[in-house]
Amino acid sequence: MELKRVVVTGLGALTPIGNTVEEYWDALIAGKSGAAPVTHFDPEKFKTKFACEVKNFEVTDFIHRREARRMDKFSQYAMVASDEAIADSKLDLESINKLRVGVIWGAGIGGLETFQEEVINYANGDGTPKFNPFFIPKMIADIAPGNISIKYGFMGPNYTTVSACASSANAMIDALNNIRLGHCDVIVTGGSEAAVTIAGMGGFNAMHAMSTRNDDPKSASRPFDANRDGFVLGEGAGAIVLEEYEHAKARGAKIYAEVVGGGLSSDAYHMTAPHPDGIGVIAVMKNCLQNAGMQAEDVDHINTHGTSTPLGDVAELKAITEVFGEHAKNININSTKSMTGHLLGAAGAIEAIASILAIEHGIVPPTINHSTVDENIDPSLNLTLNKPQKRDVKVAMSNTFGFGGHNACVLFKKLD
Amino acid sequence: MSDIASRVKAIIVDKLGVDENEVVAEASFTNDLGADSLDTVELIMEFEKEFDIQIPDDQAENIATVGQAISYIEEAKK
């Protein structure tokens, strides 16, 4: 059977550097950092006192108070970004066959704040369980796509993929394959995360995974810089409407790009450390190219996982050199996490949006905060440092890797 | 309006996100105020907390309207 072609027809973003797709893109090109002192709780006693939080966001501007209080923040973010993407797609919600519209979402954790609050509440009591009836349905990672389907009546496949920081890339690949196989006409995909909480910050700090550059939060996320000292925790959501090509063409939809392939692999090595030789990362990029039926030389741009950790950044760039050979130096490589921080389960989605918009606008956003060369990084690589670069991007790759050794890679192509 | 009645109504307005004018004695939580099964459980828990009382499940089932909630709590607080 011939696989269907899949295209992007709608985008939505709620990020630490912009609350709409337009604001997000403008901030990416301006090289804006989303890092600032934590406001969601008092971080005084925490090793890291800053994060990339969503800003100037009042949920009741978007969702009725009654509905909003039944949702954890990760669900609220999902709803707001999906609303934008669905509106952007201009799908006719009256005439569309909703049995063939799915929602496949990504979340690395889910309702962490809800979990935390309920357990604190129990611990402060006399031992009598007084859990709120909304505790479980607010917290579970699959509730975000559930809520989206309830609002829009989309009755196709509906679930959340969980693979830590690769979650929303896994979701996009599942969405791609469901449409390719003819199971759905349209799938709202993407991911959301809201882990800037005491449990999230405390937990990641305990792993020594996060930057502690408290004297200068804005420059803390510095992928590929010699003095990088860990990732900066971010939060928010990215939503992408994927649609079967003929379905999109028939209704005259605006098509941003084609999704031409997805790759998946596992490091099978360590719970949190990347494999030093990057074998899983090499495998995932090769799988992705093969899945798309493309050659390494076709790729113009790679939005890396690039979290600004000492080990991960170098391992990923070595893997890129291994997969792309001589062509690696022709590729515009970047890490938009230098601006957004690391949105965990939403990272794959917002970075895919950055790649799609790089194709759309012919500009690659920069890797900001780079000042000191790392001797372990091949100097011939173009890491798109500090300033955006004009580039006619025909094919863009987006990498995401999650704790547990999960690797996912998605390939987007300018429509011919 | 009694002190208990006004506190009960305040909880309902807060939890169900409804307008104060809708919260009349004969209003049913599910039929008139849009509550689902989870909302009604939460309301009972909030009443227990606010008034420091215990409402057993078999009695909670009989509290379906604003007026029934107020009468039950007034009785329990005597």
Side-chain angles (χ1 to χ4, degrees):
Chain A
M1 121 187 213
E2 200 176 329
L3 294 177
K4 312 270 189 196
R5 292 173 70 185
V6 181
V7 293
V8 176
T9 57
L11 300 175
L14 177 59
T15 77
I17 59 173
N19 293 2
T20 62
V21 169
E22 192 182 349
E23 281 178 29
Y24 172 51
W25 177 251
D26 289 348
L28 285 173
I29 293 306
K32 184 177 157 188
S33 165
V38 167
T39 65
H40 292 342
F41 63 94
D42 179 4
E44 184 52 36
K45 291 187 175 168
F46 285 66
K47 270 194 287 192
T48 299
K49 305 180 202 309
F50 60 93
C52 288
E53 294 177 339
V54 168
K55 297 161 192 71
N56 306 315
F57 175 73
E58 194 58 62
V59 67
T60 48
D61 291 347
F62 302 91
I63 305 171
H64 191 277
R65 195 178 67 86
R66 176 185 152 73
E67 291 304 315
R69 59 174 288 278
R70 298 158 65 104
M71 294 179 197
D72 184 90
K73 240 188 254 172
F74 94 101
S75 260
Q76 296 174 355
Y77 292 169
M79 190 61 89
V80 172
S82 298
D83 284 346
E84 186 187 7
I86 292 163
D88 183 44
S89 75
K90 300 193 169 60
L91 278 168
D92 182 351
L93 297 170
E94 297 301 316
S95 68
I96 195 171
N97 179 357
K98 292 182 181 175
L99 289 163
R100 292 183 55 82
V101 182
V103 186
I104 302 181
W105 204 250
I109 301 175
L112 186 59
E113 187 171 52
T114 297
F115 188 89
Q116 173 190 300
E117 294 306 318
E118 287 289 323
V119 173
I120 288 173
N121 189 36
Y122 176 73
N124 287 339
D126 65 1
T128 310
K130 290 278 186 191
F131 290 94
N132 188 287
F134 291 105
F135 168 28
I136 301 293
K138 269 173 79 176
M139 172 200 71
I140 48 181
D142 55 289
I143 201 67
N147 283 327
I148 296 165
S149 72
I150 291 163
K151 173 165 178 178
Y152 287 98
F154 297 153
M155 293 174 68
N158 190 286
Y159 57 91
T160 286
T161 54
V162 179
S163 51
C165 311
S167 298
S168 52
N170 269 95
M172 282 186 280
I173 293 169
D174 275 13
L176 165 68
N177 288 333
N178 266 288
I179 299 174
R180 272 175 163 174
L181 292 169
H183 297 163
C184 296
D185 298 326
V186 177
I187 296 183
V188 180
T189 184
S192 59
E193 205 77 80
V196 183
T197 69
I198 55 175
M201 293 285 284
F204 284 119
N205 258 163
M207 295 171 64
H208 296 271
M210 284 195 300
S211 169
T212 55
R213 202 177 296 277
N214 292 309
D215 59 348
D216 188 11
K218 287 198 182 309
S219 82
S221 185
R222 48 175 76 189
F224 317 129
D225 183 277
N227 298 316
R228 64 192 182 276
D229 71 331
F231 75 83
V232 177
L233 188 59
E235 61 169 1
I240 299 170
V241 176
L242 295 188
E243 188 166 352
E244 193 272 316
Y245 175 57
E246 296 297 336
H247 190 273
K249 220 169 60 171
R251 68 180 185 89
K254 173 182 172 167
I255 295 174
Y256 286 90
E258 181 170 1
V259 194
V260 285
L264 295 168
S265 78
S266 173
D267 275 7
Y269 172 68
H270 186 269
M271 283 171 73
T272 58
H275 191 288
D277 299 329
I279 52 169
V281 175
I282 292 167
V284 82
M285 288 187 279
K286 286 185 173 171
N287 288 349
C288 187
L289 287 167
Q290 191 182 21
N291 185 260
M294 302 195 94
Q295 304 301 315
E297 290 68 30
D298 296 329
V299 176
D300 302 302
H301 164 46
I302 301 175
N303 189 317
T304 61
H305 186 56
T307 57
S308 186
T309 57
L311 295 177
D313 291 8
V314 171
E316 184 176 6
L317 293 180
K318 281 185 177 159
I320 287 173
T321 303
E322 173 72 24
V323 172
F324 292 90
E326 272 300 297
H327 179 64
K329 64 176 190 296
N330 304 325
I331 300 174
N332 265 101
I333 297 167
N334 75 352
S335 168
T336 45
K337 286 191 183 79
S338 58
M339 296 173 271
T340 62
H342 189 358
L343 272 66
L344 310 179
I350 66 159
E351 287 157 27
I353 292 171
S355 298
I356 292 162
L357 293 174
I359 292 174
E360 160 112 348
H361 295 288
I363 308 173
V364 177
T367 306
I368 66 163
N369 293 326
H370 191 277
S371 57
T372 309
V373 169
D374 181 340
E375 300 296 335
N376 299 307
I377 291 175
D378 179 352
S380 74
L381 296 177
N382 177 3
L383 303 174
T384 322
L385 297 175
N386 299 323
K387 285 201 173 76
Q389 292 179 14
K390 282 194 178 169
R391 172 89 183 237
D392 180 19
V393 180
K394 293 197 175 68
V395 176
M397 178 177 267
S398 179
N399 279 342
T400 49
F401 317 131
F403 287 159
H406 322 289
N407 307 308
C409 176
V410 188
L411 210 53
F412 300 95
K413 181 172 175 281
K414 190 181 247 182
L415 203 68
D416 297 327
Chain B
M1 190 162 50
S2 75
D3 169 55
I4 286 177
S6 65
R7 283 156 70 193
V8 165
K9 286 181 182 181
I11 288 170
I12 295 167
V13 167
D14 178 47
K15 295 298 171 192
L16 299 185
V18 289
D19 195 87
E20 206 181 326
N21 302 328
E22 298 174 65
V23 188
V24 291
E26 56 276 18
S28 152
F29 298 137
T30 51
N31 298 333
D32 301 318
L33 302 177
D36 63 19
S37 59
L38 297 175
D39 288 312
T40 52
V41 175
E42 189 183 33
L43 281 178
I44 296 296
M45 288 179 61
E46 288 299 318
F47 297 149
E48 289 181 328
K49 196 162 76 182
E50 173 74 15
F51 298 102
D52 194 23
I53 55 172
Q54 295 294 325
I55 307 178
D57 287 351
D58 57 345
Q59 291 179 43
E61 285 167 15
N62 299 325
I63 303 175
T65 67
V66 176
Q68 285 165 353
I70 294 168
S71 324
Y72 183 93
I73 294 161
E74 281 175 342
E75 192 61 31
K77 295 301 281 183
K78 266 182 186 164

